[in-house]
Amino acid sequence: TGTSALTVSAAALTSIAITPANTSVAKGVAVTYKAEGSYTDGSKQDITKAVTWGSADAAIASVSNAEGSQGLASTNGTGTTSVTAQQGEVTGSTQLTVTAATLVSLAVTPATPSIPKGTNQQFKATGTYTDSSTVDLTTSVSWSSSAPAIATVSSAAGTQGLATSVAPGTTTISAVSGTGGAARTGTTTLTVTPAVLQSIAVTPASANVVVGYFQQFVATGSYADGSTKDITEEVSWSVFSDTIATVSNTAGSRGRTTGVSAGTTSVIATLGELSGSANVNVSAATLSSITVSSPGGSVSSGQTMQFTATGNFTGGVTMDLSRQVTWVSTNTSAATIDQNGLATAGSFVGVTTIRATRVSGSGSVSGEKTLT
């Protein structure tokens, strides 16, 4: 018999495999590596936390050995580097390729703006990439509006992202980069409010008014979108001197200015911080005659014709009295006339006299014209 002592030690590490293998990621994307050891007894074991991690080119990627983050690779630049895991004299390696950073999200600014009709809004599209960098993509994205009837947005060279308001309302402004699954979209909401009033014009710009008579003034607003609107009933009316003239703020008669005493004053229309004015020359004249006029002398059955009554006063003063006289048609079968001077031809052929009368304390004055 012969004997010898044999000592069996723990299984020895023979190789290290790193997963994932031969990875390609965009710059800024982290990769979590795992190291698996193969031993002499055929066993395998996760040794991620037991190996020493390294990178052949830290400018491309660096791999952490810090407690709790072993094997976590941070991508720093583009290119290819070798990632290694070592324990003792055994080393495992794999290739990591870092490509250019890719777009992660799009942000459209300003967020939820509100603009008046007739004005523009410039939008900006900012892309955020995998490496946390941001790039102005305003000129490279595709712009669109969910409601072009409210606002349009340009994708044309030189005006990309410029929204033009069309009508009051709300629309979604979108910026899209890429196509298919790689497409990224950013959105914001644009609210268009009514156009801003820019100026007020009062017409007529100058009027002669006789004491006891009135002149109807009209206020016209001009807006930022180029439109105009009769705002006579919206403005607040006033006169510079109410001892010379007064002006009505009663619904239905706003802007009606009545002469009080001889002199000159201004009638003013105000809305917000804007105002417009006109001159009022008040005289203490006496009505001497009324001239009735119309565009023609005949009208067909069922049609209308507008008559005007012009008051002729002493001193050469004239005034439109169309709404300050009493209108009469002497033959209502031929035509009728309302108190605004609008005549309507009847169903019978004939002739009538259209008469305008102004009654005052000293009597009445009339003017007339024949209508066939």
Side-chain angles (χ1 to χ4, degrees), residues 322-359:
S322 300
R323 287 171 172 74
Q324 302 182 65
V325 296
T326 300
W327 290 98
V328 172
S329 170
T330 60
N331 182 359
T332 55
S333 296
T336 58
I337 189 166
D338 67 16
Q339 293 310 302
N340 291 319
L342 183 65
T344 303
S347 58
F348 295 95
V349 174
V351 177
T352 185
T353 298
I354 300 298
R355 182 177 296 121
T357 302
R358 170 75 184 197
V359 178

Side-chain angles (χ1 to χ4, degrees), residues 103-318:
L103 184 63
V104 175
S105 63
L106 269 177
V108 176
T109 54
T112 61
S114 178
I115 61 173
K117 179 175 178 274
T119 59
N120 299 327
Q121 174 66 59
Q122 179 63 56
F123 286 98
K124 179 181 179 181
T126 302
T128 299
Y129 288 77
T130 50
D131 61 354
S132 297
S133 64
T134 57
V135 178
D136 184 349
L137 300 178
T138 303
T139 59
S140 60
V141 297
S142 177
W143 292 93
S144 64
S145 169
S146 65
I150 292 173
T152 60
V153 62
S154 175
S155 287
T159 58
Q160 296 98 325
L162 182 65
T164 301
S165 57
V166 178
T170 301
T171 183
T172 298
I173 302 297
S174 300
V176 179
S177 178
T179 59
R184 296 292 181 268
T185 302
T187 63
T188 191
T189 300
L190 172 63
T191 300
V192 179
T193 58
V196 174
L197 180 65
Q198 292 187 316
S199 64
I200 300 173
V202 177
T203 53
S206 180
N208 295 317
V209 181
V210 175
V211 174
Y213 291 80
F214 69 81
Q215 169 67 50
Q216 179 63 54
F217 285 93
V218 175
T220 302
S222 295
Y223 292 81
D225 62 350
S227 65
T228 59
K229 177 186 174 185
D230 184 343
I231 55 173
T232 303
E233 292 294 319
E234 299 175 35
V235 299
S236 175
W237 292 93
S238 62
V239 288
F240 185 75
S241 174
D242 58 9
T243 60
I244 296 174
T246 59
V247 63
S248 173
N249 275 298
T250 303
S253 65
R254 289 185 174 93
R256 181 175 292 180
T257 303
T258 303
V260 176
S261 63
T264 300
T265 187
S266 297
V267 60
I268 305 162
T270 303
L271 186 60
E273 297 181 355
L274 296 176
S275 63
S277 64
N279 294 323
V280 181
N281 303 308
V282 181
S283 62
T286 302
L287 181 64
S288 55
S289 65
I290 296 175
T291 301
V292 177
S293 59
S294 64
S298 62
V299 66
S300 300
S301 176
Q303 294 184 336
T304 61
M305 182 173 289
Q306 181 65 53
F307 281 80
T308 301
T310 301
N312 305 300
F313 294 82
T314 55
V317 177
T318 60

